Amino acid sequence: MQKPFITSWSGGKDSALAFYRAVQQGHVPIALFTMFEEDGERSKSHGLKKQILEAQAERMGLPLVIGQADWSGYEKEFIRHLQHFKEQGIEMGVYGDIDLQDHLDWVEKVSKQAELDVLHPLWQEARRSLLEELVEEEFKAVITVVDTARVGEEFLGRAFTRELIEELEALGIDACGEEGEFHTTLVDGPIFVEPLPVEFGDIVRNGQYAMLEVKLQTGE
């Protein structure tokens, strides 16, 4: 049964692949939903600026809906937006979780409060096979945040290829980054009508995290 849906959108590879699969299954995308810091400057999960996520949404032909909260108010704000989606006739939320049970449980809980169905297109699939699909389907995802306690800064700016996957795995790093080892930014793929015109700037460090500044090229 085809359902209108929103995607919990991080701007990275997992939410992109989840969106792609949901569309392939015949569901109908209505909007992207991203949580931002309380000041609205950067996204909560990947630290991306609003114009990057808006440019992604534009290339998907969808509106970007933004929630803003600190961690203490995060759940309440998330539910409020889900309830609003339900009021608009949206029936389902799509999420890119792979195998973190705690997060799936949280998504199920907040979605139940909003009476929204949930779809996890990637759930319990082998991490390596998902990465192979990402490369095979010509998604271009670039590592833009690393937890330096687990991943070296030299991986910042690297796009996902089979070589990169093997390099990460050889170092004992989960190449999916499912445990927060790193985050990616999607810059091209079959869900975009054209590539994202990005340039990478300085490395910003915050505690053990290093983040590559992602900007739209001048003229965008």
Side-chain angles (χ1 to χ4, degrees), residues 13 127-136 139 141 143 155 158-177 182:
K13 61 178 178 56
R127 295 180 182 187
R128 177 63 187 252
S129 69
L130 291 172
L131 294 171
E132 294 279 357
E133 181 178 347
L134 191 83
V135 173
E136 184 71 27
F139 284 89
I143 294 176
F155 284 100
R158 295 278 302 277
F160 259 81
T161 59
R162 287 187 176 82
E163 291 73 24
L164 175 61
I165 294 165
E166 289 167 5
E167 200 174 326
L168 289 166
E169 289 183 345
L171 292 170
I173 299 166
D174 169 31
C176 258
F182 60 85

Side-chain angles (χ1 to χ4, degrees), residues 56-163:
Q56 290 178 326
E58 184 181 333
R59 280 153 182 79
M60 296 164 74
L62 295 170
L64 174 70
V65 178
I66 289 172
Q68 293 177 211
D70 58 16
W71 284 120
S72 64
Y74 186 95
E75 182 171 304
K76 183 178 179 181
E77 175 75 348
F78 202 97
I79 293 170
R80 184 178 73 82
H81 278 278
L82 293 186
Q83 289 171 334
H84 186 57
F85 293 138
K86 177 69 174 183
E87 290 165 3
Q88 293 176 302
I90 294 167
E91 298 177 18
M92 184 170 68
V94 171
Y95 297 84
D97 298 298
I98 300 171
D99 53 24
L100 295 184
Q101 188 66 47
D102 286 350
H103 195 260
L104 179 134
D105 291 344
W106 181 85
V107 167
E108 296 279 0
K109 180 184 78 168
V110 297
S111 299
K112 187 176 181 179
Q113 290 189 47
E115 298 181 344
L116 269 189
D117 293 338
V118 176
L119 179 64
H120 285 88
L122 315 183
W123 186 249
Q124 295 290 10
E125 289 206 30
R127 295 180 182 187
R128 177 63 187 252
S129 69
L130 291 172
L131 294 171
E132 294 279 357
E133 181 178 347
L134 191 83
V135 173
E136 184 71 27
E137 296 295 332
E138 298 185 342
F139 284 89
K140 185 179 179 184
V142 177
I143 294 176
T144 50
V145 181
V146 295
D147 176 352
T148 58
R150 297 180 282 180
V151 181
E153 286 186 12
E154 66 272 14
F155 284 100
L156 288 169
R158 295 278 302 277
F160 259 81
T161 59
R162 287 187 176 82
E163 291 73 24

Side-chain angles (χ1 to χ4, degrees), residues 180-196:
E181 295 90 341
F182 60 85
H183 295 303
T184 60
T185 301
L186 187 73
V187 297
D188 199 8
I191 60 176
F192 285 179
V193 295
E194 61 182 6
L196 201 67

Side-chain angles (χ1 to χ4, degrees), residues 3 10 17 19 60 64 80 151 178 181 212:
K3 294 181 180 179
S10 69
L17 191 56
F19 173 91
M60 296 164 74
L64 174 70
R80 184 178 73 82
V151 181
E178 179 72 348
E181 295 90 341
L212 191 61

Side-chain angles (χ1 to χ4, degrees), residues 50-60 187 192-199 214-220:
K50 186 177 178 182
Q51 56 262 41
I52 297 298
L53 291 152
E54 285 177 336
Q56 290 178 326
E58 184 181 333
R59 280 153 182 79
M60 296 164 74
V187 297
F192 285 179
V193 295
E194 61 182 6
L196 201 67
V198 295
E199 55 187 30
V214 184
K215 309 172 187 176
L216 292 180
Q217 290 175 1
T218 307
E220 278 293 307

Side-chain angles (χ1 to χ4, degrees), residues 22-41:
V23 171
Q24 285 183 316
Q25 291 172 22
H27 300 298
V28 183
I30 304 298
L32 307 180
F33 174 43
T34 306
M35 289 294 290
F36 270 63
E37 301 287 353
E38 193 173 19
D39 61 10
E41 283 295 308

